[in-house]
Amino acid sequence: MFWRLRVLTFYFILSLVAVIMAVFLWLPIYFLNLGYNVRYKIAEIFSRIFIFLAKLLCGIKYQVTGIDKLPQDGKPYIVLANHQSFWENLFMQLIIPKHSWVLKKELFDMPVFGWGLKMLNPVAIDRSNSRSVLQILTEGQKKIEQGLHLIMFPEGGTVKIDRNVKFKPSAAKLAINANVPIVLIAHNSGVFWPKGFWFKQPGLISLRVLEVISTKKYQDHDVRTLTDYIEERINKEKEILVRLAETNQSNNFY
């Protein structure tokens, strides 16, 4: 009962923050038609508040390893990560420089948050639409040409920690078309916050930057071969991180 009270307190305070930011920041930005840099900065502030409140009220901590592997030349790259919860959508803003996202259009329907997200103009796809792949390739290319990094979840949706799914090839195809590096990331957020409203338990989310696949490294691979490599690399590391978290939890590590 106490745990659920903590989670409800988190959502209550976060909702207040979202409403206040919408009234005093998003509305003025919308009517003044301010540019992407300002809109992105406001979204980043919200993400940092979200991660801070999750840590403070629900005990959802995190550790990041391999961040030194991220390219430092300022040129765009595509980030590919496994998808287990809503947590990683926002956490990416803490470690990846100014970027955009490929995400499902349904997120726009979320109260207040969805409206702010829509103002950032991500690549929002309808997964039931057969033309969604073409949308990813065309709009994703435009984001990269604008100098933005791009966050993608090649599983196509949130996946339970004990399952693996076939990765979508659109991310590899876009990287090859745009001739940009691919950053691979794995994490175990679903151990503590699976898909849905309720956090499962407090704990330490581990996120690892695995490697950067340079354009030279993948230029001799076709889309399917590259996708299969990405899938194997991320899933293998994900499974290690999930087992580690579950073992530590059973040993009362947290």
Side-chain angles (χ1 to χ4, degrees), residues 4 7-8 10-12 193-200:
R4 294 212 161 194
V7 175
L8 289 173
F10 164 79
Y11 280 116
F12 175 73
W193 186 9
K195 180 181 180 180
F197 181 83
W198 294 104
F199 291 93
K200 185 177 180 181

Side-chain angles (χ1 to χ4, degrees), residues 40 79-82 87-97 99 101 151 153 185 187 207:
Y40 184 86
V79 177
L80 303 184
N82 59 303
W87 180 88
E88 57 265 20
N89 285 296
L90 299 179
F91 183 76
M92 290 295 182
Q93 285 202 290
L94 275 64
I95 62 172
I96 303 298
H99 58 263
W101 308 259
I151 309 291
F153 301 109
I185 289 179
H187 60 86
L207 183 145

Side-chain angles (χ1 to χ4, degrees), residues 72-107:
Q72 301 298 317
D73 59 7
K75 296 180 180 179
Y77 51 79
I78 295 176
V79 177
L80 303 184
N82 59 303
H83 197 16
Q84 296 180 347
S85 75
F86 191 64
W87 180 88
E88 57 265 20
N89 285 296
L90 299 179
F91 183 76
M92 290 295 182
Q93 285 202 290
L94 275 64
I95 62 172
I96 303 298
K98 189 171 61 176
H99 58 263
S100 188
W101 308 259
V102 174
L103 44 76
K104 58 184 181 181
K105 199 171 184 179
E106 299 94 291
L107 290 177

